[in-house]
Amino acid sequence: MRRKGVNYSKYGYIFTLPFVLAFLIFSLYPILYTAVIGFTDMKGLIPKPIHILDNPFQNFKDLLFDNPSFRKSLINTGILWIVNFIPQIVLALLLTAWFTNRRLNIKGQGVFKVLLYMPNIITASTIAVLFSSLFAYPMGPINSLFQQLGWIDAPVYFLQDKTTARGIVAFIQFWMWYGNTMIVLIAGVMGINPALFESAAIDGANGFQIFFRITLPSLRTILLYTLITSMIGGLTMFDIPQLFLAGGPDDSTLTTSMFIYGQAFKGSYMYNRAAAASMIMFVIAAVLSGLLFYLMRDRGAAKMRKAQKAILKSEKAAAAAAREV
């Protein structure tokens, strides 16, 4: 008798069901509900009947053209992300090249990786208290150190200067996340075929040539993932600016997530404007992600696909012409 085949695919659907339900309830539904709220007049602590506005895009228009605080939060968010991400990715790439260099064969890599990754597992509240103490005025470790080195004559109130406040927040973000970026890049390098590195070494390539000609091109997908996740994390930056300086001084560290939180849960409880701001950030994140996908695409593969389509099109045209003859 023939044995009846066993179909295991149904078990896969069963195991994914909890995630699908959690996603539908806690992610998709809130996103859709937020999108709807952005077109309504929903506000106030006590729930009231909500209505679609006569001009559905009025909340978006008010935010983009009539709300300088929101525009300032957008600028602050972009500055803080760029200032922390550029040194973050540069240092992470340098450390990745150092740890994965077979000629150097670094000893104790595990200890170094744990130490460099450590800031990422410290809670944001702890880091905020730590840096508040470091840059305290007038008696703080940084002020005392600078005075002893002769760099300053009197204590400086670092946290009341817009430039230094932004710089400190950006540095904290950089310090917290460069270790995580390094671990992701190292994992990507470990997935590259070792034969490529061995062949390059046999051909006489040095470390710089191997890194820029083999490692970086092979890390295109991992770099794209890092860029997109970092960009989304930068656009949703909230905990450090909120706990460290609460957006000050003079809103110089106010981010869009802090603005949205303030609109929704402080003062007049403008849920409609908070939802509209969230949707604006969603569109910005989607557009920037699409741009990164386009810029980081494999141009060689794209040209090959285009050539194949051209060949297929010419073959079809030739076949059609032959049939007509």
Side-chain angles (χ1 to χ4, degrees), residues 229-249:
T229 53
S230 174
M231 180 201 66
I232 294 173
L235 293 177
T236 58
M237 193 185 307
F238 177 81
D239 48 3
I240 293 298
Q242 175 67 32
L243 296 171
F244 183 46
L245 293 171

Side-chain angles (χ1 to χ4, degrees), residues 59 62-64 66-74 77 235 237-238 242 246-247 251 253-266 270 273-278 280-281:
N59 292 321
D62 291 341
L63 286 171
L64 292 173
D66 301 324
N67 196 315
S69 182
F70 178 69
R71 294 198 298 270
K72 190 171 186 179
S73 71
L74 282 175
T77 302
L235 293 177
M237 193 185 307
F238 177 81
Q242 175 67 32
D251 289 343
T253 59
L254 177 71
T255 63
T256 50
S257 293
M258 294 174 64
F259 175 85
I260 292 168
Y261 174 79
Q263 291 289 306
F265 303 111
K266 292 181 181 179
M270 305 286 287
R273 288 194 180 181
S278 300
I280 291 172
M281 295 309 299

Side-chain angles (χ1 to χ4, degrees), residues 18 25 31 71 87 99 139 274:
I25 297 171
I31 290 173
R71 294 198 298 270
F99 282 126
M139 299 296 293

Side-chain angles (χ1 to χ4, degrees), residues 56-290:
F57 296 97
Q58 186 63 45
N59 292 321
F60 300 89
K61 180 182 176 182
D62 291 341
L63 286 171
L64 292 173
F65 301 105
D66 301 324
N67 196 315
S69 182
F70 178 69
R71 294 198 298 270
K72 190 171 186 179
S73 71
L74 282 175
I75 295 171
N76 290 338
T77 302
I79 291 173
L80 291 173
W81 176 65
I82 292 171
V83 173
N84 93 79
F85 180 71
I86 292 176
Q88 178 190 143
I89 192 66
V90 171
L91 181 59
L93 285 170
L94 290 174
L95 291 172
T96 300
W98 186 51
F99 282 126
T100 58
N101 193 315
R102 298 176 182 272
R103 295 177 181 177
L104 295 177
N105 193 21
I106 306 298
K107 302 296 182 182
Q109 290 191 25
V111 177
F112 284 111
K113 292 174 184 177
V114 169
L115 292 176
L116 295 174
Y117 185 77
M118 191 69 71
N120 192 248
I121 62 176
I122 303 175
T123 60
S125 57
T126 304
I127 293 176
V129 172
L130 170 64
F131 278 84
S132 295
S133 302
L134 286 174
F135 290 93
Y137 176 86
M139 299 296 293
I142 299 298
N143 269 313
S144 299
L145 176 63
F146 286 179
Q147 284 181 300
Q148 290 179 3
L149 294 174
W151 293 354
I152 56 176
D153 298 324
V156 178
Y157 206 161
F158 293 101
L159 303 184
Q160 286 300 311
D161 182 81
K162 295 181 182 180
T163 303
T164 56
R166 283 175 177 166
I168 294 170
V169 171
F171 174 79
I172 294 173
Q173 292 293 131
F174 153 75
W175 178 67
M176 287 179 64
W177 289 99
Y178 80 95
N180 179 77
T181 305
M182 176 199 69
I183 294 297
V184 172
L185 294 177
I186 289 175
V189 173
M190 299 300 290
I192 301 174
N193 188 351
L196 296 175
F197 299 107
E198 294 173 2
S199 300
I202 292 172
D203 292 339
N206 57 37
F208 289 99
Q209 291 173 326
I210 292 174
F211 184 75
F212 286 103
R213 298 296 181 87
I214 296 177
T215 305
L216 275 184
S218 301
L219 285 177
R220 181 182 285 108
T221 304
I222 301 297
L223 284 173
L224 177 62
Y225 166 81
T226 304
L227 283 167
I228 290 178
T229 53
S230 174
M231 180 201 66
I232 294 173
L235 293 177
T236 58
M237 193 185 307
F238 177 81
D239 48 3
I240 293 298
Q242 175 67 32
L243 296 171
F244 183 46
L245 293 171
D250 193 23
D251 289 343
S252 61
T253 59
L254 177 71
T255 63
T256 50
S257 293
M258 294 174 64
F259 175 85
I260 292 168
Y261 174 79
Q263 291 289 306
F265 303 111
K266 292 181 181 179
S268 56
Y269 298 91
M270 305 286 287
Y271 299 117
N272 53 346
R273 288 194 180 181
S278 300
M279 288 298 101
I280 291 172
M281 295 309 299
F282 177 81
V283 171
I284 291 174
V287 170
L288 292 178
S289 298

